[in-house]
Amino acid sequence: MNKRGINVAFPVVIFLTLNIVFFGGLLIFVNQASTGALVYGEAYAKEIALLIDYSKPPMQIVIDFQEVLELASENNVEREDVVRIENNRVAINFGKGGSGFEYFSDYDVDFYFDGDSLVININEREV
Amino acid sequence: MLWGSKKGGEKIFSIWWLFVLGIVGVGIVGGVMVFYSSEIDVREIESDVMFNRISECLIDNGFLIEEVLTERFDIFGFCDLDSEVFGKGSSFYFNVSVFGDGKLLRKNILGGDFSFEKDCLVAEDVVAENYPKCKIVVLPVLYYESGVKSGEMKVMTASNNKLGGLNE
């Protein structure tokens, strides 16, 4: 390519590169926002609280928690710190803040991880 | 084109293009922020779940549980509802009344924030986003009173439960 050719092509290349960078940045932003920790935290906290209220003890609920655990791992949150169910509240922690949601049932609720699944045991409270 | 061009028209085009990019960028970022910052509203589902829970607990095969008509009936213990959650400043509310033979047999089996009752009535007529979401249902029931009689149980449930932080 001669000097004139370079002069014509150079602005085009820069123009295209800047556009790709701009729209690529927007795509990454939208993707991160839609799969963000806060969205997952809220959704899972509410889902678990509603499941507890909707359940009839004795009942065992198994929830696929793979995505949540991967997000937590990316944010250096230990597996045992991701979920907390106590005092009628379900709290989900991903390291960047977290979400808590209240449920109204007076059940004995305990949980554990079985692989990437969250297992919730719901029993009647012993008097 | 952007930079490096010597033509005036193309310079104007590049400024115009930057302006368009700015508008598009701000629009998309703003839209995404607004969309994902809005809370997932499950209050209606929650008041529905509470209604199912209470009605299934108090009615057995169409018959009203006998204890309901006694003055000392404790709905919290009977239906496994947490009395502290329904205490002062609660995000929930329920009120159960039983009617039969054209009279009120049992009224105000209730718990939670009493102000929700008025809010629910107001919210029936106007759109009130921050008011609790309510469910009011009148169910036919059978009950024993020197023989089997038919009556009605009115159940009102409401929830204004919103997302909290990790340690609230």
Side-chain angles (χ1 to χ4, degrees):
Chain A
M1 200 181 283
N2 59 25
K3 199 177 174 187
R4 185 178 165 80
I6 291 171
N7 282 342
V8 172
F10 188 63
V12 176
V13 171
I14 289 181
F15 176 74
L16 287 176
T17 308
L18 286 174
N19 276 314
I20 289 168
V21 167
F22 176 78
F23 285 107
L26 276 182
L27 265 178
I28 291 169
F29 169 76
V30 171
N31 183 49
Q32 283 190 341
S34 62
T35 57
L38 288 177
V39 177
Y40 273 112
E42 178 183 353
Y44 276 99
K46 289 185 173 179
E47 183 185 351
I48 293 170
L50 285 173
L51 279 171
I52 292 171
D53 280 334
Y54 207 70
S55 63
K56 288 177 182 169
M59 190 178 263
Q60 187 174 69
I61 298 167
V62 182
I63 302 170
D64 182 4
F65 241 57
Q66 189 182 355
E67 281 174 316
V68 181
L69 292 174
E70 280 171 8
L71 263 174
S73 172
E74 283 170 19
N75 293 325
N76 300 318
V77 178
E78 295 292 322
R79 178 178 275 239
E80 55 267 26
D81 296 329
V82 175
V83 181
R84 220 169 50 215
I85 304 177
E86 56 189 16
N87 300 327
N88 280 76
R89 265 178 73 81
V90 178
I92 306 287
N93 175 25
F94 288 106
K96 296 173 182 172
S99 304
F101 199 66
E102 196 175 34
Y103 60 91
F104 56 76
S105 301
D106 189 22
Y107 292 147
D108 183 16
V109 181
D110 66 78
F111 65 95
Y112 60 90
F113 282 104
D114 180 16
D116 286 339
S117 298
L118 176 71
V119 181
I120 305 171
N121 288 316
I122 301 165
N123 292 297
E124 295 223 21
R125 207 175 277 283
E126 287 177 19
V127 183
Chain B
M1 283 305 149
L2 279 174
W3 306 295
S5 172
K6 289 172 184 172
K7 291 179 182 174
E10 287 183 357
K11 277 184 182 169
I12 292 169
F13 176 69
S14 71
I15 293 166
W16 175 244
W17 183 242
L18 279 177
F19 177 72
V20 169
L21 283 185
I23 294 287
V24 169
V26 169
I28 290 179
V29 171
V32 168
M33 299 276 272
V34 167
F35 183 78
Y36 286 105
S37 64
S38 62
E39 198 177 318
I40 305 166
D41 193 352
V42 295
R43 291 175 298 168
E44 210 163 325
I45 300 171
E46 213 161 28
S47 60
D48 208 44
V49 170
M50 203 191 313
F51 162 75
N52 283 331
R53 180 73 170 280
I54 289 172
S55 58
E56 284 173 16
C57 167
L58 301 183
I59 300 172
D60 181 25
N61 283 327
F63 279 88
L64 189 71
I65 302 290
E66 276 183 55
E67 290 92 326
V68 177
L69 296 177
T70 60
E71 279 302 315
R72 286 190 173 182
F73 176 63
D74 172 28
I75 193 170
F76 296 105
F78 196 81
C79 297
D80 291 321
L81 302 173
D82 193 296
S83 55
E84 284 182 21
V85 171
F86 286 94
K88 198 178 177 186
S90 174
S91 307
F92 304 102
Y93 175 72
F94 66 84
N95 189 349
V96 181
S97 302
V98 183
F99 303 87
D101 260 354
K103 60 184 179 188
L104 185 63
L105 299 176
R106 182 77 166 86
K107 68 169 183 176
N108 290 345
I109 303 171
L110 45 78
D113 189 334
F114 304 148
S115 69
F116 283 9
E117 180 130 10
K118 269 186 185 170
D119 293 345
C120 288
L121 298 175
V122 172
E124 276 185 349
D125 301 323
V126 295
V127 178
E129 196 54 45
N130 291 317
Y131 275 37
K133 298 291 177 191
C134 314
K135 189 176 177 88
I136 304 169
V137 179
V138 178
L139 294 167
V141 288
L142 297 170
Y143 65 98
Y144 292 104
E145 193 185 67
S146 48
V148 177
K149 290 185 175 177
S150 62
E152 286 177 337
M153 184 172 83
K154 183 183 173 190
V155 183
M156 173 191 264
T157 55
S159 167
N160 206 15
N161 193 14
K162 292 186 177 170
L163 192 73
L166 198 59
N167 297 310
E168 275 177 40

